[in-house]
């Protein structure tokens, strides 16, 4: 009989617990998603944030401080929506 040799990486992979492999895969997927821009999600969040900021701004008195805070609403909404999108993609289980 021929004796087959297993490379060191294959042996490490073979004896690595399944849980740590899935965690490694999870972090790799999350890192790849963090590198992408997700233009549609960010644009949709900015548009929704702009609508919300316009609605809030209509009911506030006009001064510089209020306008400065309202400018941050679309940016924060776009960032939050992108984070939710990445979280949803990494935690959905499509078996």
């Amino acid at each position: 009989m021929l004796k087959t040799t297993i490379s060191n990486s294959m042996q490490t992979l073979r004896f690595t617990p399944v849980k740590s492999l899935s965690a490694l895969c999870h972090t790799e997927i999350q890192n790849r998603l963090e590198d992408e821009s997700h233009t549609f999600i960010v644009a949709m969040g900015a548009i929704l944030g702009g609508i919300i900021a316009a609605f809030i701004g209509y009911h506030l008195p006009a001064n510089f401080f209020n306008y400065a805070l309202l400018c941050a609403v679309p940016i924060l909404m776009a960032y939050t929506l992108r984070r939710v999108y990445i979280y949803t993609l990494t935690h959905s289980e499509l078996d």
Side-chain angles (χ1 to χ4, degrees):
M1 292 232 143
L2 291 172
K3 188 175 183 180
T4 58
T5 58
I6 299 174
S7 67
N8 193 16
S9 63
M10 286 297 290
Q11 187 173 4
T12 304
L13 186 63
R14 189 169 127 196
F15 294 112
T16 305
V18 174
K19 196 170 203 172
S20 68
L21 281 178
S22 64
L24 179 67
C25 184
H26 175 64
T27 56
E28 182 181 336
I29 290 171
Q30 188 167 2
N31 289 338
R32 284 187 183 177
L33 287 172
E34 288 289 336
D35 293 339
E36 294 180 14
S37 63
H38 306 289
T39 308
F40 178 73
I41 300 297
V42 171
M44 189 170 62
I47 290 170
L48 262 109
I51 292 170
I52 292 170
F55 179 75
I56 293 171
Y58 181 76
H59 298 290
L60 289 178
N63 61 23
F64 180 74
F65 183 69
N66 287 341
Y67 286 140
L69 287 177
L70 288 175
C71 288
V73 171
I75 297 168
L76 292 174
M77 182 66 98
Y79 178 74
T80 303
L81 199 61
R82 183 177 180 269
R83 297 297 310 155
V84 167
Y85 180 68
I86 291 173
Y87 179 85
T88 303
L89 287 177
T90 56
H91 288 81
S92 65
E93 296 185 17
L94 303 174
D95 291 292

